[in-house]
């Protein structure tokens, strides 16, 4: 782990944990599977209060989620729908976007709640929630609940593991990597499918 993470935690305490979790939600520089166990370990040795660590982490996670939700709301469904209709936009078609919104309208609550407990997804799920227009209060409550559970688990693991807290990252690392690989594969598949669809349309025309 880079030294600056330790420096932030040592200087700011629980507030530093919250700041790092906020950054992890917005621009994922350091996974929460590293930050939270470190906070739990620091609490176990008496440097920080475990409840303060959990509260700060949950506030940081919620702040990051709300920022990305606001980005999605600013983009709006109509704007994104028009974007998907552009020829150069390869990630999604308007039809795919419509299906995605139908899915989110039906199951948006569980998607947000459980998505907050999946690496990478916990950051990205806030944007479609904003685009789909999920009520802000509902989104906030679901995000706070999902983040609170996730944070409690990993702060608790850091407390339990003590000086061996870094082993948590070793076990969670493959999972995080797997999620990233799947996400990249899905994006590649979407681009290829869109290009093939465009070729069929051009051939028919």
């Amino acid at each position: 782990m880079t030294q600056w993470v330790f420096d932030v935690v040592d200087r700011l305490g629980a507030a530093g944990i919250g700041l790092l979790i906020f950054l992890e939600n917005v621009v994922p520089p350091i996974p929460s599977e590293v930050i939270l166990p470190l906070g739990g370990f620091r609490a176990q040795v008496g440097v920080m209060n475990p409840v303060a660590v959990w509260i700060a982490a949950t506030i940081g996670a919620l702040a990051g989620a709300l920022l990305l939700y606001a980005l999605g709301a600013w983009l709006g469904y109509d704007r994104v729908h028009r974007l998907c209709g552009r020829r150069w936009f390869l990630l999604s078609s308007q039809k795919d976007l419509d299906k995605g919104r139908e899915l989110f309208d039906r199951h948006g609550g569980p998607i947000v709640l459980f998505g907050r407990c999946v690496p990478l997804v916990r950051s990205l799920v806030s944007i479609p929630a904003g685009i789909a227009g999920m009520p802000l209060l509902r989104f906030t409550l679901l995000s706070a609940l999902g983040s609170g559970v996730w944070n409690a688990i990993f702060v608790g693991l850091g407390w339990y593991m003590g000086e061996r807290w870094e082993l948590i990252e070793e076990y969670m690392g493959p999972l995080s990597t797997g999620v990233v690989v799947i996400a990249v594969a899905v994006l590649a598949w979407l681009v290829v499918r869109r290009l093939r669809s465009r070729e069929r349309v051009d051939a028919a025309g």
Side-chain angles (χ1 to χ4, degrees):
M1 186 195 303
T2 54
Q3 184 61 41
W4 71 271
V5 173
F6 287 104
D7 292 340
V8 169
V9 174
D10 288 340
R11 292 182 182 181
L12 301 180
I17 296 290
L19 174 62
L20 291 171
I21 291 297
F22 169 77
L23 292 175
E24 185 265 343
N25 273 261
V26 177
V27 286
I30 299 293
S32 61
E33 298 87 357
V34 174
I35 302 167
L36 296 171
L38 172 60
F41 169 62
R42 287 286 198 266
Q44 193 239 33
V45 298
V47 177
M48 292 185 289
N49 183 290
V51 176
V53 170
W54 175 75
I55 291 175
T58 302
I59 290 174
L62 185 58
L66 288 172
L67 179 61
L68 294 178
Y69 173 91
L71 173 62
W74 174 77
L75 289 171
Y77 182 79
D78 293 338
R79 183 179 297 177
V80 175
H81 196 269
R82 290 194 298 272
L83 179 64
C84 290
R86 301 293 179 88
R87 183 175 178 81
W88 53 265
F89 192 78
L90 300 176
L91 294 182
S92 175
S93 66
Q94 291 178 325
K95 185 177 181 180
D96 290 334
L97 183 66
D98 292 339
K99 291 180 179 178
R101 181 167 186 177
E102 290 177 7
L103 177 66
F104 210 91
D105 287 342
R106 294 179 183 177
H107 309 290
I111 290 174
V112 170
L113 179 62
F114 295 107
R116 297 299 301 172
C117 299
V118 179
L120 184 63
V121 174
R122 61 173 164 266
S123 296
L124 300 179
V125 73
S126 302
I127 298 177
I131 293 174
M134 174 179 281
L136 179 58
L137 179 58
R138 187 183 183 210
F139 173 79
T140 301
L141 292 175
L142 290 169
S143 297
L145 178 58
S147 298
V149 171
W150 176 265
N151 295 341
I153 290 173
F154 281 90
V155 171
L157 285 173
W159 174 286
Y160 175 76
M161 296 291 288
E163 294 183 354
R164 298 175 299 158
W165 65 271
E166 290 182 300
L167 291 175
I168 299 171
E169 181 191 8
E170 294 184 19
Y171 288 112
M172 290 298 298
L175 174 61
S176 299
T177 301
V179 172
V180 172
V181 170
I182 291 172
V184 172
V186 169
L187 288 176
W189 175 75
L190 288 173
V191 170
V192 170
R193 191 185 66 162
R194 187 80 190 273
L195 288 172
R196 288 179 176 175
S197 176
R198 181 182 300 172
E199 289 175 357
R200 288 194 295 269
V201 171
D202 291 344

